[in-house]
């Protein structure tokens, strides 16, 4: 009987892990496709990303429902309970990543045809590649549950931040050069900020995995805010 | 014995509710003070908001720890379990509201002395008043647990969105008029977006309260995204 209960519980944990992995795969894809749509002015691809967001929303709700039913039915303790609470948190972060990808996709039409310079488009692409790598690695760590690896990903958000800051600066310069660039560059600023936030969510997930593996939060503050907030203050 | 356990559990729920209310009060205060600091170029007040964010981070961690210990110890079912999972979610939304207030406070120095027109400052103030009202009402509903009221707050996010959109438009115009406005107006754009996101978090909390009270998600999609993403697309 006990063995049977354990097996059923393991199945439920496996279900949660599988759904999280699926959500992670879709989140990565949405981020990649939204940036591709932006760079290539591909309205059809943007539309696909926007529709895919519904799948993410549904998946988050289903993970949430399953998590709560599992806690109520199995009454898990310690590591098992952390596993389920962690799944809830990760699903929520991934759903937000999907939202950010969708928001970027929505900006494709606004930027389309405004002649975004190649250099700025490359900057956005580069930023998104970093964010996607971080997301991919964190999802791999979710499978292996290495607390050490989770901690190292969490400590690496600064690279994204540095690129975001230089892109922010470039976009402002470009806006100042010609007022006709203002609308499209504003959208690109929000796109860049969205991608920077995707990196933040990857970092949140890394922290959650660390917590799932160890039962405690990783030590030391991490910079959760970008450095552009003060940009211009001393100029 | 059972009576004793129930009392202890009630105490734990009361503890969570009290902490959530405290977090809510501080979040409101941070949002209000950050906008006041922005409008009055008050660097000292901005600094206070930035330091207050640590209190929010600590509170979220403590609510999380308490929630998990309570689930493990009391093994609650149904409504009691939803109560605790709901507290986790609400704490996470309030912590994000604090982050957004802090991010706005950080922009005070960048905007200071750039002569933000009174009209734009009023626009930001108006937007933040709406977001704070929404936050205040949702925290009241957290105390009364009225599912009906939670649903009506959730359905009202559109007002904030409309004001945000008109402010977005005004800020772009102002940037186009004079390139020297671009840096400060970009910060104000992000401030406005942050406040719009605070409204989103209030809406999330309303949904969580509805879920706590009824065990299900409120029906019908709500617009989680702002409408400015497509702004300029047809122009």
């Amino acid at each position: 009987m006990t063995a049977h209960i354990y097996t059923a519980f393991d199945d439920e944990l496996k279900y949660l892990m599988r759904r999280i992995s699926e959500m992670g795969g879709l989140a990565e894809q949405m981020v990649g496709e939204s940036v591709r749509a932006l760079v290539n002015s591909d309205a059809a691809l943007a539309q696909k990303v926007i529709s895919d967001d519904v799948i993410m929303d549904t998946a988050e709700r289903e993970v949430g429902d399953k998590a709560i039913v599992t806690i109520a039915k199995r009454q898990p303790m310690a590591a098992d309970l952390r596993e389920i609470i962690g799944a809830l948190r990760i699903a929520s972060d991934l759903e937000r990543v999907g939202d950010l990808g969708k928001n970027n996709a929505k900006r494709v039409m606004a930027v389309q045809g405004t002649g975004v310079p190649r250099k700025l488009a490359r900057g956005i692409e580069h930023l998104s590649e970093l964010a996607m790598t971080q997301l991919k690695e964190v999802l791999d760590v979710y499978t292996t549950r290495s607390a050490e690896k989770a901690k190292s990903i969490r400590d690496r958000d600064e690279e994204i931040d540095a690129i975001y800051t230089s892109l922010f600066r470039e976009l402002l310069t470009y806006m100042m050069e010609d007022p006709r660039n203002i609308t499209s560059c504003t959208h690109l600023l929000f796109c860049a900020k969205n991608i920077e936030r995707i990196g933040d969510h990857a970092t949140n997930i890394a922290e959650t995995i660390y917590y799932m593996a160890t039962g405690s939060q990783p030590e030391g503050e991490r910079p959760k805010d970008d450095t552009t907030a003060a940009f211009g203050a001393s100029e």
Side-chain angles (χ1 to χ4, degrees), chain A:
Chain A
M1 185 63 194
T2 311
H4 174 255
I5 287 170
Y6 271 87
T7 308
F9 181 61
D10 283 345
D11 282 349
E12 280 156 340
L13 288 187
K14 264 184 214 149
Y15 170 88
L16 289 175
M17 281 190 70
R18 184 170 54 74
R19 295 305 303 268
I20 296 278
S21 295
E22 284 167 8
M23 285 182 79
L26 182 57
E28 264 182 69
Q29 186 187 313
M30 286 172 76
V31 175
E33 287 179 346
S34 69
V35 172
R36 202 142 30 92
L38 198 70
V39 171
N40 302 328
S41 292
D42 186 338
L45 189 57
Q47 199 48 57
K48 176 183 176 297
V49 174
I50 293 168
S51 346
D52 278 351
D53 192 49
V54 179
I55 305 175
M56 287 299 266
D57 289 349
T58 307
E60 192 206 358
R61 205 167 307 128
E62 287 172 1
V63 166
D65 290 345
K66 184 70 171 185
I68 285 170
V69 168
T70 306
I71 294 175
K73 240 187 352 189
R74 308 294 170 200
Q75 315 216 324
M77 306 285 281
D80 286 338
L81 180 55
R82 288 205 304 273
E83 184 74 18
I84 298 172
I85 298 286
L88 274 176
R89 282 198 205 157
I90 294 173
S92 160
D93 275 304
L94 290 174
E95 191 270 335
R96 291 298 299 149
V97 170
D99 275 348
L100 293 165
K102 176 185 169 188
N103 187 271
N104 278 359
K106 281 187 174 175
R107 296 183 190 274
V108 167
M109 302 309 293
V111 175
Q112 202 173 31
T114 55
V116 174
R118 200 67 215 148
K119 200 183 161 211
L120 292 178
R122 282 293 319 150
I124 298 268
E125 262 182 325
H126 183 42
L127 192 66
S128 77
E129 277 155 17
L130 283 177
M132 280 168 64
T133 303
Q134 215 187 1
L135 198 57
K136 204 184 158 46
E137 285 184 8
V138 92
L139 290 166
D140 288 347
V141 175
Y142 177 68
T143 314
T144 62
R145 300 301 161 89
S146 155
E148 262 328 294
K149 198 115 197 275
K151 200 165 173 309
S152 84
I153 290 176
R154 172 184 174 270
D155 291 342
R156 235 189 27 202
D157 205 27
E158 284 156 47
E159 195 180 349
I160 291 184
D161 214 51
I163 311 265
Y164 169 67
T165 301
S166 90
L167 197 56
F168 182 91
R169 207 175 279 261
E170 252 180 277
L171 281 163
L172 285 194
T173 308
Y174 195 67
M175 287 158 100
M176 286 171 196
E177 275 168 18
D178 188 342
R180 284 170 298 182
N181 296 329
I182 287 176
T183 303
S184 59
C185 284
T186 297
H187 287 297
L188 292 180
L189 271 175
F190 278 112
C191 286
K193 180 70 191 170
N194 285 343
I195 297 169
E196 189 258 345
R197 284 172 59 200
I198 288 168
D200 278 349
H201 285 291
T203 308
N204 287 348
I205 295 173
E207 288 189 352
T208 300
I209 296 169
Y210 185 91
Y211 160 82
M212 288 162 97
T214 66
S216 63
Q217 307 288 337
E219 282 192 31
E221 249 222 297
R222 58 135 166 152
K224 238 165 57 181
D225 215 349
D226 69 76
T227 54
T228 61
F231 181 72
S234 59
E235 293 183 329

